[in-house]
Structures are given as structure tokens and as C-alpha cells.
Amino acid sequence: MRVSLKDVAARAGVSIKTVSNVVNNYQHVTPAMRERVQQAIDELGYRPNLTARHLRQGRTGIIALALPELGNPYFAELAAAVIDAAALHDYIVLLDHTGGRREQEVLVSQGFRARVIDGLILSPIELEAEDLRERTENVPLVLLGERHYDLPYDHIAVDNVAAARAAVRHLIDLGRREVAFIGARRGHSQPAHLRLQGWREELLSAGLSVDDGLIATTEGWGHADGAAAMTRILETGRRPDAVFAYNDPIAIGAMRVMSERGMRVPEDVAVVGFDDVVEGHFGTVTLTSVSPDKEAIARMAVESVLARLSGQAPEPRRVWADYRLIARESTLGRSTQAARST
Amino acid sequence: MRVSLKDVAARAGVSIKTVSNVVNNYQHVTPAMRERVQQAIDELGYRPNLTARHLRQGRTGIIALALPELGNPYFAELAAAVIDAAALHDYIVLLDHTGGRREQEVLVSQGFRARVIDGLILSPIELEAEDLRERTENVPLVLLGERHYDLPYDHIAVDNVAAARAAVRHLIDLGRREVAFIGARRGHSQPAHLRLQGWREELLSAGLSVDDGLIATTEGWGHADGAAAMTRILETGRRPDAVFAYNDPIAIGAMRVMSERGMRVPEDVAVVGFDDVVEGHFGTVTLTSVSPDKEAIARMAVESVLARLSGQAPEPRRVWADYRLIARESTLGRSTQAARST
DNA sequence: AGCCGGGCTTGCAACGTTATACGTCCGCAT
DNA sequence: ATGCGGACGTATAACGTTGCAAGCCCGGCT
């Protein structure tokens, strides 16, 4: 059986409340009393029951983080950063994953998967604005990532259009003219939309034509999806001289296919990814990528939730996180490797 | 303000307990009554307060999972599997990471980081047996992974010695004679120890000599550590014809260094990793690896915790999870790729 | 000496839920 | 007509904690 304040109080011969005072470092406790109670605590091995404390205080010290998939190293690294950021504020993180499926995202946003939480950080993929408009759950919600909603929620993301434009600009500056985009999304409206839009805008502003034949859709966002999409492009007979991928795993999957077909990166095809995952730093050809400031995103997400929790939050805000384009061998080649920032 | 049973009861003109009965689908409730209460629930948007329920029931429906680092895709994938396995039993997962640091692992095992949990799954790296012997926290603990303790806790792992022997056997069967091991751990006793032991045993049983010059230690378990270790081996002038790495990131980091120095994989050096992370499936040279059955590990871990929770657990058990050696290009070359199991 | 004030300790209530045990009502068998 | 049992609803007491307000004691001031 677990020991409670009552047991300690009985042992020390004091009231429950006095024990509570000792546990919580209440100031008006004589050293002698503190000593005596502490001894009883140690002897019995008392540990506060956090559930009871939470019930009493109306908060739990837990925030939930819901990500599409942990298998994607970007999200795994982001999760680690959120856990650390939350720990700074004495918060603990409950982790969930949605598979990027709308149904799961709705459940999470409605709090049906975890109802013990003070706040929620959600990185949506398919979730629609109407789903959020119908949201009845009242724990603070902060949105993460690429989707864009005109709704009264805090939203933290990098400027995907600008970041995508920087990536494509980099390819154009290298003299590439046939820049494919891999990782567009069939059917659903927004995912990948902003990066695709950046690709389009930058091509147009460079006076290049926008060719839908160079857009490849994918089902998911993993290596295999990138490989399949690249294969499809090549089978149409197109030979792009550059690829901008929705994310790094897709880029790496595509590079694998190129390697199988004897195409050289970057000589024949320059490749830029997105997310800057560690994996891209160590391939046979290292990957140029857009690097979002994950720590800042995690920090701002946690702080937004907590601010809203304490009621001091003003208007819902859209916050842009920093990013950098880090050029590596997949665009520069092995010898001339260097870093470049935007 | 949040609505409670009391509010619903007032609205429906019934007792609190009747509302509770409706919420919990208690059988003796007339359809008419159920209807009436349900309507009040819907009108007010009532949601049960799980904290109160947990206090009452003495359990929270939360289990904690503490892993060394999420940046390692093996652990990220394992976390995803645990979340899914827990969901099957209506449990939610609180995620923590220890950085593989003993101090953090002790805190976690003692429940200082999260005390709202019913059970704990911990994958230790530096934790010592004495730390566990001194453990006073009484929530069920299940250990995961490679470390080996003679203590009364459930422990789930693949047979690391046997798996390592299979990996080295594979290299020997291919005719390799100078098999390096990358990823040993300086100072601390056990991590990597079992895999190193398997390497040693298999070399000896094949009549080969065990050469400490072919053992490279690392600080961590990431790509960069593998790269640094490989560089050190090559700088001693040694030219192994095979590498068995502690895990896949280390193997991939090492392969990057080989590629930089013009060494071909597998022609000059055959490489085997451990963990079978997705990243290894898509490199320019795909990676042969020992593939632990992550889903089974996650499932057994969750079930062990829950069994112990419900008191039906017998003796603490050591459970061996399945694994397979999956041969890919880093040992077989591109054309002859195939899969092999043990 | 009596009073006041502050430091220390305590009892009580409440957070929202569910288990238990009880009360009521109805229908049916005696 | 009476009694009995089952179906249904409810009052009450917990679960373990903390905020509040009150009570006690003692030293110092008048």
C-alpha cells in the first residue's frame, strides 16, 4: 500500500496539514518540526500523490504533443526538443502520433485520446479548418508546422513559401533550369502546398516556366515514397537537372533511385531537401537542406501553451521560426562543400 | 469553467451518481432516464475529469517510456511501437529521454521525473545494478535492451550475443578475416559489451585471432561517432576487410568515411550494422543489419508492465525477442541482394 | 498584569469522481 | 391482501491533496 500524508502525520504525531506544509516548504515551520516530520517521511518512504495534487490544483503538469509520425527523424528530433523545453518549465510530455490521418487528428484535437492534459501541441497534416472550428475541448491548443488556418490559435512554423523559394533560388543560381518538385499531395488541399507554392513562385520570378510534369505526388513522406516518385518521373522520360523535395527522407529516397540508374548527384541532378535531418549529413552524398530551428520551434510552442494556460496570452499569434539553407554535396559537390545561410 | 457531474445532475434533475451511471454505462438505467441525462450532458458539453477518476480508481492509464535518445531512429521507431501497443490496452504514453546518462536514468527509475504513472518502461545505458537495488519507487518497472542485470525485474531484449555472432558469422562466411568492431564503450562496463562479446566469440570459434587493434570505442552512438571511430582505425594503418558496428548510425557514419577515402563497400570492406533502421534501406549502398522485432519488443514490454500492474505477474522474467539478420548491399553488393534470416 | 501581534499549527472543506449500501417502487407469486 | 425480489435511483463516504481561516502560544509592549 502506498503511504499518504495521513500515514506520515500519524507517525510524526502531527496534523496532515503540517506534513503538507513541510512537503511544500511552507515558510512557517520550525526547524525542529520540519526535522521530525521529515524523518517520518523518510522512514515511511512517502511520495506525494500527484493525481490528488492535480485534482486539487486543477492542473496536471502534463502537455500532450501530437505528431504525424515518429519514424520521420525530423519529428523525432522535434519531440526531443519539446520534451527538453517542457522540462525547463517542470512540464512533462505525453506523446501521441496521428499518422497524419485526419480522423486521428480530430480525435487528438478534441482531447479524446488524452484528457489528462493542461495543453496540447499539434502538428496537423490533414486536419481541416472546420474540424478546428467545431472544437469543443477547451485546453489550450498550439498548432505547429506547415498547415495554415485562419483561426484563433497560436501557430508556429517557418515561412514555408520563403524557405522553399530560397531552396529553389539556390538551385537556379547553380544554373539548373529543370527543377522537379517531389512530395506534393494528391487530393488534400494544403499539405506540401506552401512549399510547392514557393517552388512555383521562384521559378516564375526567375523567368522559368512552371511545368506540371515536374511535380510528383507521394502518398506518404518517407524514403520509399521519394524513391517511387522519382522512378515515376524518370519513367515519363523527363530528365530534370534538379530536385527540390518536400523533406529529407523523400530526397534521400529519390537519390537512391538516381544512384541505381547511374545518375550522379550533383553533376547530373542537384538535390535539395527540407528539415535537415542528421541522416542527410552522412550519406555518400551529403544533402543540401532547409534547416528549421527546431529548438526555437519547440521552445516557442511550449511557451505559447503555457502562456495561454496562465491566461496571460494576448491575441492568438502566428510566429515565424528561423530557418537556414545549408548547402552540402548534393548541390555543391564534394570538394567545394560550404555552408550558406539565408 | 469546466462542467462537472454536479452541473449535469442539476440540469437533469437527478443525482450525481445517476449521471455517473449513465456515463459509465451502468446497466440498471431506464432508457428514458438515460435519454434525459444524455441530453443534459450534450447540452452542457460535459467531459469526465480524468484526474478525479484516476484519484478515485488509484490508477492513471499512463505508462512512461524512458529512452536514451529520440534522435536515434531505432528508439524513435520503438517509441512509436510502444505508443501503439499501449493504445491497444487504452493506455497513454508519457515519453522521456535520459541521454543515456546514469544520473537521469536513476531519476527516471526513481520516478522523480514523472510520478503520475502506473508503470515504467526503461531502456538503460549507464544505469548500474546498485541503482536499481536502491530503488524505492514501487510502480512496476520493465527493462528494455542490452544491459543485463541480475535483479528481480522483467527484462526484454534480443539475445545480443547470439545476434552479434550471427552478424560476424555472416562476414566470415563471405570470406572476411579482418573484422573490426566499432562502437565499444570506454570505461563503463556493459553497454556494447554483449555485442562485443559476440564478435569475440564468433571470431574465436572460427579460428580467427581476436585483435584489440580492430576494436574502436566511441563516445556516443550517432553517425559522427562512427565516422570518427572509422577515421581513427584507418589512421593506425589498419585496413579491415569488414566492419561490424554497434548500430546502424555508427555503421553509416563509418561508411561515409570509407567513401571519402575511396574504399568500396562491400568490395573492400563489408559492413554490418544493428537495429535495421529505415535509413539503412536507402543509402547509396544499403546496409546489412540485425533487425530486432521492434513491434514484439514493444508489445511484450507493455504487456509485462500491465501484467505486473494487475498483480498477475509470476516471477520476473527475462524475455528474448526475435531478430533477423537482413543482408543487403553492404555485404552482398548491388546485384546479388537477398534476405537471409536466423 | 493584561493585551496585542505574529509565528506556528491545525481542522475543515473542497477538487470531481466512483463504490457501497441503502431506499423505493413495482410486479408477481403466495 | 401480503410478502418478496429485482430493477432502479440516491445519499454518503471515500481517494489524497491543499487553501482558508481560525486557534494556540509566547514574547514584548503598555
Side-chain angles (χ1 to χ4, degrees), chain A residues 15 17-18 21 28-30 33 55-56:
Chain A
S15 79
K17 190 64 219 294
T18 298
N21 286 340
H28 298 308
V29 181
T30 39
M33 175 63 85
L55 173 61
R56 183 60 236 238

Side-chain angles (χ1 to χ4, degrees), chain A residues 299-322:
Chain A
R299 186 169 31 77
M300 295 192 290
V302 169
E303 285 169 2
S304 287
V305 169
L306 298 188
R308 214 147 279 285
L309 205 55
S310 63
Q312 2 152 321
E315 298 293 291
R317 340 169 274 157
R318 157 171 298 268
V319 183
W320 297 122
D322 253 6

Side-chain angles (χ1 to χ4, degrees), chain A residues 2 47-52 54-55 60 62 70-71 76-77 79-80 83-84 87 92-97 110 112-116 136-138 223-224 227 252-253 256 259-260 278-279 282-286 329 334, chain B residues 2 47-52 54-55 60 62 70-71 76-77 79-80 83-84 87 92-97 110 112-116 136-138 223-224 227 252-253 256 259-260 278-279 282-286 329 334:
Chain A
R2 204 162 157 120
R47 298 285 185 76
N49 178 325
L50 288 211
T51 304
H54 295 160
L55 173 61
T60 62
I62 302 177
L70 279 169
E77 293 168 19
I83 289 173
D84 291 337
I92 292 283
V93 175
L94 221 151
L95 191 62
D96 207 346
H97 56 181
Q110 287 284 9
F112 280 118
R113 298 259 302 180
R115 286 171 293 184
V116 222
T136 56
E137 175 68 28
N138 52 7
H223 300 75
I252 291 167
R256 164 71 195 181
S259 151
E260 282 170 2
V278 176
E279 174 181 356
F282 286 91
T284 301
V285 177
T286 59
E329 293 166 3
R334 253 197 194 179
Chain B
R2 203 156 159 122
R47 299 285 185 74
N49 178 325
L50 289 209
T51 304
H54 295 160
L55 172 61
T60 63
I62 302 177
L70 280 168
E77 292 168 20
I83 289 173
D84 291 337
I92 293 282
V93 175
L94 219 151
L95 190 63
D96 207 346
H97 56 181
Q110 287 285 9
F112 281 119
R113 299 257 303 178
R115 287 171 292 184
V116 220
T136 56
E137 176 67 28
N138 52 6
H223 300 77
I252 291 167
R256 164 72 195 181
S259 152
E260 283 170 3
V278 176
E279 173 180 356
F282 286 93
T284 301
V285 177
T286 59
E329 293 165 3
R334 256 199 190 176

Side-chain angles (χ1 to χ4, degrees), chain B residues 28-61:
Chain B
H28 298 307
V29 181
T30 36
M33 176 61 87
R34 189 176 298 272
E35 166 74 14
R36 181 164 127 218
V37 171
Q38 188 59 51
Q39 189 173 347
I41 288 176
D42 294 342
E43 285 170 10
L44 296 177
Y46 167 77
R47 299 285 185 74
N49 178 325
L50 289 209
T51 304
R53 184 176 285 175
H54 295 160
L55 172 61
R56 186 59 239 235
Q57 297 182 334
R59 42 172 293 269
T60 63

